[in-house]
Amino acid sequence: LLFFTDKGKVYQAKMYEIPEGRRASKGNAIMNFLSMTSDEHITSVLAVRKEEWEGSWSLLMVTKNGVIKKSDASAFKDVRRSGLIALTLKDGDALISAKFVGDKDEISLVSHNGQAIRFMESDVRQMGRTASGVTGMKLKKDDHIVSADILTKGDKDRLILVVTENGYGKTTPAKEYKTQNRGGSGIKTVKVTAKTGKVVGAVA
């Protein structure tokens, strides 16, 4: 298991180290398994089987302020107990999402104010582990990214589900989001009103 935090660090634990619990049990504090600092919060967890390290995967990371970074996944195969820097963040930014991405996949980003952008993973060049990344989506001052997801090549029937803070949701065919260049301001994905509240999440 790879655990990514808002501070741009990654930690690793073996699946067998996490005790199994019943459905209603409260679980164990993650601090028992990872050497995290008290001001860090986990934002993404990725499960990786041993054989999956051998594939041509990249790791895609996205920050709250719209920065995106792609690194060779094999750079995260062995993570020391104290963690590794996965992404160098600028002041006021936070890592919100980490996902595996393959060749010819597409990336979908959705913002708090209801903007969305879709672009090819090839628009983001491969970078070293401590690099800070490039602009994935241009945001207005009062906006931030709430979700990032991967659209797999050949999956024509995928839907994008968008959920707002007041409990409203809708699905839209992914094909209605045209593929653009990285770094644009995107298109409107949902009409944000006082009734709906702003977007809190989206998933393909």
Side-chain angles (χ1 to χ4, degrees):
L1 295 170
L2 296 177
F3 297 85
F4 294 83
T5 75
D6 56 346
K7 303 295 184 186
K9 287 189 74 175
V10 58
Y11 298 86
Q12 188 181 75
K14 302 291 187 185
M15 181 65 87
Y16 61 76
E17 295 172 351
I18 312 295
E20 189 170 330
R22 294 182 177 276
R23 179 179 54 82
S25 60
K26 71 173 187 177
N28 300 79
I30 198 66
M31 306 295 272
N32 295 334
F33 309 101
L34 308 177
S35 300
M36 290 169 52
T37 58
S38 59
D39 63 339
E40 283 184 279
H41 299 92
I42 293 168
T43 55
S44 288
V45 182
L46 296 177
V48 196
R49 297 182 187 276
K50 284 182 180 178
E51 61 269 20
E52 289 179 335
W53 286 119
E54 309 305 319
S56 58
W57 293 99
S58 294
L59 191 67
L60 187 83
M61 289 163 278
V62 179
T63 77
K64 183 176 80 170
N65 292 343
V67 173
I68 191 166
K69 176 187 166 185
K70 186 174 73 173
S71 293
D72 190 329
S74 63
F76 301 90
K77 186 175 181 180
D78 295 304
V79 178
R80 58 178 176 261
R81 185 152 184 82
S82 58
L84 289 175
I85 295 172
L87 171 73
T88 301
L89 294 165
K90 293 182 179 176
D91 289 344
D93 206 357
L95 178 62
I96 64 154
S97 176
K99 292 182 181 291
F100 289 116
V101 63
D103 292 343
K104 298 183 181 177
D105 283 349
E106 293 184 69
I107 299 157
S108 169
L109 304 180
V110 177
S111 81
H112 193 47
N113 286 346
Q115 291 293 111
I117 192 169
R118 175 182 179 180
F119 54 89
M120 297 297 298
E121 60 81 26
S122 55
D123 280 5
V124 187
R125 61 181 174 81
Q126 202 93 311
M127 298 174 215
R129 189 173 50 77
T130 58
S132 57
V134 294
T135 301
M137 185 175 181
K138 198 178 293 179
L139 298 166
K140 292 184 178 178
K141 283 186 178 180
D142 63 339
D143 204 3
H144 62 268
I145 300 293
V146 294
S147 75
D149 215 340
I150 307 302
L151 298 169
T152 307
K153 58 186 176 184
D155 192 350
K156 296 177 182 176
D157 300 322
R158 191 70 73 95
L159 298 170
I160 305 289
L161 167 68
V162 179
V163 179
T164 68
E165 56 194 353
N166 291 344
Y168 285 78
K170 73 165 192 172
T171 56
T172 307
K175 61 187 178 184
E176 290 192 22
Y177 297 84
K178 63 178 182 178
T179 302
Q180 299 176 279
N181 292 324
R182 172 187 65 79
S185 56
I187 60 172
K188 185 66 70 179
T189 184
V190 64
K191 187 176 181 181
V192 170
T193 66
K195 183 180 178 182
T196 64
K198 295 194 175 185
V199 179
V200 291
V203 64

